[in-house]
């Protein structure tokens, strides 16, 4: 039995807005995630998925509750938790190589060692021929690969991914999903993955959390019992995969009706 | 190959288009003086003025005055840049600094600094210091405000990405936030530089023993109209050169930012 890597205990977030007063962004969330698990979070827009991820990252403070990572209370950002944002958030003034070297340099590696480490990761995300490019010279899919490499470069044990493939076309998205599973298969990081796509969540995850509408809390947890390594073309024909997708889609449809 | 050609052509035609208004203004000036709309003793021909300008470029006394102006301009502008960026970034990163700075800025920014100049002369004397102080006072605010605005508008996810990678908050402020705010900072600095050019000249005209502004006033008092126009040509040439230098610097500093090519 793997130990719990992440313990989210009674976390909620209330924003004090100047115009509309107190605004509950996130209900009351309690989740435990085992080390090496790939976990996805699904839920209606605005239910607080990003907020939850930001709290885990230590970028935003929870109003109640606490997050424990490896038994340590989260009080701020740290290199054990690496975020990947939907908007890439690359440093526009740094080249591809410069972006990926950033983490290793901050970790105290020498310039040579950081360069070597960054090059390794660029090979991993198939961008070894683009190290001198600036972010604005890359396609969306390439930018997201750089962002992933930049985060992997400082070796976080946990990846916090907020709709990382949301802005990409279907083809690029599928390719990056496969690459992500490849990378994850190598060193089994713990991944918390926010998405709007039910199929993406089922395809990638060990567990899928479905949240209620805003202010969100966990409505249901699905344990995805599908063999790995997963191949998309095979899964599409797999009855169990289809059942998971349909069950989750139904649950989310119900919510939409409740809102309407 | 042909794409490169097109870029070349565009650069050349842009430069020509930029020079056109200046050529036109000089042409009008020339026509007015050549056709004697205004007597040559009041409005000398641009040819005469430029000739005199070239002669004076070899005159040590003129160069000394120009040097004094340049010195005040650069030292004052340099101090304003350092103070403006420093305070602006600190205010963006620290609420206490921001809270302390805001009322000060609100009160001081709209004051016409030139009104402080007599007081500055009494405080610092006739020499460089009083002019430099005035340049700093005038150029500081656009740089400070642009830095602050640019810094608070930086995408927090850039900062979070850096913090997660292990950079401290202070380090993020002076590397990530400062760099991400560069486009805004450079815009502020460009405005500050123009203001600095204007104000150093003004100060020398009002109260000074040397400098280009003082040369102009002295020439006007002695009814030497050609010598009166030379400092104006000199300061506008200087502005042109500084602008070109600024553009080059911006291009280098802003590599990778969206608006640059
Ligand atoms: N800085 C903020 N100030 C005030 N309210 C905020 C702030 N950030 C988010 N919120 C509110 O918190 C709620 C949750 O936002 P969040 O971005 O976490 O949703 P989400 O589930 O990620 O949505 P989406 O799927 O559209 O990305 C929303 O109602 C939003 O209005
Ligand atoms: Mg979101």
């Amino acid at each position: 039995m793997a130990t719990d890597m992440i313990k989210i205990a009674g976390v909620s977030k209330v924003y004090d807005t100047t115009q509309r007063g107190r605004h509950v962004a996130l209900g009351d969330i309690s989740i435990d995630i085992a080390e090496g698990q790939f976990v996805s979070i699904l839920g209606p827009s605005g239910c607080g998925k990003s907020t939850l991820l930001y709290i885990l990252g230590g970028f935003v403070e929870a109003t109640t509750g606490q997050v424990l990572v490896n038994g340590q209370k989260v009080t701020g950002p740290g290199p054990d938790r690496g975020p990947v944002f939907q908007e890439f958030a690359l440093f526009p003034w740094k080249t591809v190589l410069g972006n990926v070297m950033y983490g290793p340099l901050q970790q105290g590696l020498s310039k040579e060692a950081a360069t070597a480490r960054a090059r390794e990761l660029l090979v991993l995300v198939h961008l070894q021929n683009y190290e001198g490019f600036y972010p604005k010279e890359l396609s969306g899919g390439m930018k997201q690969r750089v962002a992933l490499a930049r985060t992997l470069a400082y070796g976080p044990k946990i990846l916090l991914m907020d709709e990382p493939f949301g802005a990409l076309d279907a083809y690029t998205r599928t390719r990056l999903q496969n690459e992500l599973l490849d990378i994850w298969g190598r060193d089994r990081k713990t991944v918390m993955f926010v998405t709007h796509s039910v199929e993406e969540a089922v395809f990638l995850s060990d567990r899928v959390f479905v949240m209620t509408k805003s202010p969100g809390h966990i409505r249901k947890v699905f344990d995805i019992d599908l063999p790995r390594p997963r191949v998309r073309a095979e899964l599409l024909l797999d009855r169990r995969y289809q059942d998971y997708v349909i069950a989750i889609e139904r649950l989310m449809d119900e919510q939409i009706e409740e809102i309407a | 190959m042909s794409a490169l050609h097109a870029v070349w052509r565009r650069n050349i035609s842009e430069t020509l288009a930029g020079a056109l208004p200046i050529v036109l203004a000089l042409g009008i000036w020339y026509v007015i003086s050549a056709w004697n709309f205004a007597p040559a003793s009041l409005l000398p021909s641009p040819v005469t003025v430029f000739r005199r300008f070239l002669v004076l470029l070899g005159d040590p006394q003129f160069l000394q005055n120009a040097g004094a102006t340049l010195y005040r301009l650069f030292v004052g502008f340099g101090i304003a840049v350092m103070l403006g960026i420093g305070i602006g970034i600190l205010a963006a990163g620290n609420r206490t600094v921001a809270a302390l700075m805001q009322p000060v800025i609100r009160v001081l920014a709209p004051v016409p600094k030139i009104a402080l100049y007599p007081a500055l002369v009494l405080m610092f004397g006739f020499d460089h210091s009083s002019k430099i102080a005035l340049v700093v006072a005038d150029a500081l605010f656009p740089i400070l405000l642009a830095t602050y605005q640019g810094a608070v508008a930086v995408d927090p996810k850039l900062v979070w990405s850096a913090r997660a990678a292990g950079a401290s908050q202070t380090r993020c402020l002076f590397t990530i936030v400062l760099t991400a705010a560069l486009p805004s900072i450079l815009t502020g600095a460009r405005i500050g530089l123009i203001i600095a050019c204007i104000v150093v000249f003004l100060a020398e005209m009002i109260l000074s023993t040397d400098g280009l502004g003082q040369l102009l006033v002295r020439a006007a008092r002695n009814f030497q109209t050609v010598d009166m126009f030379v400092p104006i040509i000199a300061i506008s040439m200087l502005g042109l050169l500084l602008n070109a230098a600024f553009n080059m610097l911006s291009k280098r500093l802003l590599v990778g930012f969206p608006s640059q090519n």
Side-chain angles (χ1 to χ4, degrees):
Chain A
M1 184 68 213
T3 49
D4 282 339
M5 183 83 173
I6 304 173
K7 260 179 126 46
I8 302 171
V11 164
S12 72
K13 177 71 190 176
V14 180
Y15 281 107
D16 275 317
T17 57
T18 32
Q19 281 104 23
R20 283 158 285 109
R22 286 162 59 81
H23 175 71
V24 183
L26 186 65
D28 184 8
I29 304 277
S30 295
I31 303 177
D32 292 340
I33 300 169
E35 183 166 0
Q37 263 199 340
F38 199 121
V39 165
S40 285
I41 298 182
L42 282 166
S45 186
C47 73
K49 304 182 294 294
S50 298
T51 307
L52 178 62
L53 227 55
Y54 299 161
I55 291 172
L56 260 167
F59 312 127
V60 167
E61 236 180 292
T63 311
T64 67
Q66 61 175 4
V67 178
L68 299 180
V69 169
N70 259 334
Q72 294 271 321
K73 193 171 179 233
V74 167
T75 53
D80 53 337
R81 287 151 288 137
V84 180
F85 301 108
Q86 178 175 5
E87 312 86 344
F88 322 124
L90 295 171
F91 305 128
W93 61 90
K94 286 184 190 288
T95 60
V96 166
L97 187 68
N99 267 281
V100 182
M101 279 171 69
Y102 184 79
L105 284 176
Q106 295 305 316
Q107 294 300 310
L109 263 65
S110 71
K111 213 168 172 183
E112 293 75 37
T115 310
R117 172 91 183 125
R119 293 218 163 106
E120 255 170 57
L121 280 147
L122 287 176
V123 171
L124 191 68
V125 297
H126 310 298
L127 282 176
Q128 62 272 38
N129 294 331
Y130 290 89
E131 60 173 56
F133 281 56
Y134 284 95
K136 68 166 182 181
E137 297 163 338
L138 303 176
S139 72
M142 290 156 94
K143 280 184 207 162
Q144 198 52 284
R145 283 195 176 95
V146 177
L148 182 60
R150 179 181 66 179
T151 299
L152 291 172
Y154 51 89
K157 292 207 197 69
I158 299 170
L159 283 180
L160 305 171
M161 309 184 79
D162 192 2
E163 299 186 42
F165 308 146
L168 308 177
D169 64 277
Y171 174 74
T172 311
R173 193 179 176 127
T174 309
R175 279 194 57 179
L176 283 183
Q177 286 170 358
N178 287 326
E179 284 177 26
L180 177 62
L181 278 190
D182 269 357
I183 292 166
W184 179 74
R186 279 173 215 211
D187 54 0
R188 293 276 162 156
K189 291 182 186 308
T190 309
V191 182
M192 185 118 163
F193 192 98
V194 169
T195 176
H196 271 129
S197 159
V198 175
E199 294 191 22
E200 183 171 70
V202 175
F203 175 59
L204 294 173
S205 314
D206 297 317
R207 291 164 92 197
V208 175
F209 292 89
V210 180
M211 287 175 71
T212 62
K213 66 183 198 303
S214 177
H217 31 262
I218 302 299
R219 177 171 178 137
K220 200 160 178 187
V221 188
F222 291 83
D223 283 303
I224 309 297
D225 193 9
L226 293 170
R228 293 184 190 268
R230 294 177 186 169
V231 180
R232 199 182 172 78
E234 287 171 16
L235 274 187
L236 288 174
L237 291 169
D238 191 320
R239 187 58 203 269
R240 289 169 298 173
Y241 170 81
Q242 294 164 359
D243 286 346
Y244 284 127
V245 172
I246 292 166
I248 297 173
E249 293 272 14
R250 285 228 173 95
L251 188 69
M252 297 192 53
D253 278 349
E254 276 172 36
Q255 288 191 343
I256 292 170
E257 275 158 31
E258 281 166 24
I259 295 167
Chain B
M1 211 46 223
S2 73
L4 206 66
H5 240 84
V7 170
W8 250 63
R9 274 240 286 280
R10 204 188 59 202
N11 275 348
I12 291 172
S13 62
E14 262 173 21
T15 313
L16 285 180
L20 200 63
I22 299 172
V23 173
L24 209 68
L26 287 174
I28 292 172
W29 179 8
Y30 181 78
V31 168
I32 291 175
S33 64
W35 291 357
N36 277 323
F37 285 133
S41 57
L42 289 182
L43 183 71
S45 142
V47 179
T48 325
V49 172
F50 272 98
R51 236 183 240 144
R52 179 81 182 134
F53 178 52
L54 289 179
V55 170
L56 283 179
L57 279 182
D59 174 8
Q61 216 191 335
F62 177 81
L63 290 179
Q64 208 174 356
N65 281 298
T69 303
L70 274 177
Y71 177 76
R72 293 160 185 165
L73 180 67
F74 283 127
V75 174
F77 178 67
I79 294 173
V81 165
M82 286 190 289
L83 280 180
I85 295 178
I87 299 171
I89 287 288
L90 280 177
N94 188 309
R95 285 212 191 133
T96 320
V97 177
L100 286 173
M101 285 316 297
Q102 243 151 27
V104 180
I105 289 171
R106 260 186 222 133
V107 171
L108 288 186
V111 171
K113 311 303 174 297
I114 195 81
L116 299 175
Y117 184 55
L120 291 175
V121 173
L122 289 180
M123 261 191 284
F124 295 109
F126 271 91
D127 209 19
H128 295 315
S129 320
S130 54
K131 285 97 192 158
I132 288 171
L134 183 68
V135 170
V136 172
D138 247 322
L140 175 66
F141 290 98
I143 301 172
L144 200 164
L145 290 174
T147 304
Y148 179 73
Q149 299 284 343
V152 293
V154 168
D155 180 3
K157 280 168 193 144
L158 285 183
V159 178
W160 295 351
S161 298
R163 294 276 284 126
S168 72
Q169 210 151 9
T170 318
R171 184 182 211 122
C172 267
L173 196 58
F174 287 100
T175 55
I176 303 300
V177 174
L178 180 66
T179 317
L182 259 186
S184 174
I185 293 174
L186 285 175
T187 306
R190 185 186 291 261
I191 297 170
L193 185 58
I194 295 170
I195 292 178
C197 281
I198 294 171
V199 84
V200 74
F201 206 85
L202 261 182
E204 289 171 352
M205 285 177 68
I206 294 173
L207 250 184
S208 182
T209 49
D210 56 0
L212 287 174
Q214 180 54 31
L215 282 188
L216 185 148
V217 173
R218 217 180 293 160
R221 285 210 189 106
N222 297 324
F223 221 69
Q224 295 164 328
T225 46
V226 177
D227 281 0
M228 190 177 81
F229 277 95
V230 168
I232 300 176
I233 298 293
I235 196 96
S236 68
M237 293 284 224
L238 180 68
L240 221 58
L241 282 177
L242 287 178
N243 196 51
F246 210 98
N247 280 340
M248 256 161 53
L249 184 74
S250 295
K251 272 226 169 80
R252 285 192 64 134
L253 285 179
L254 296 185
V255 180
F257 282 93
S259 60
Q260 294 308 111
N261 282 310

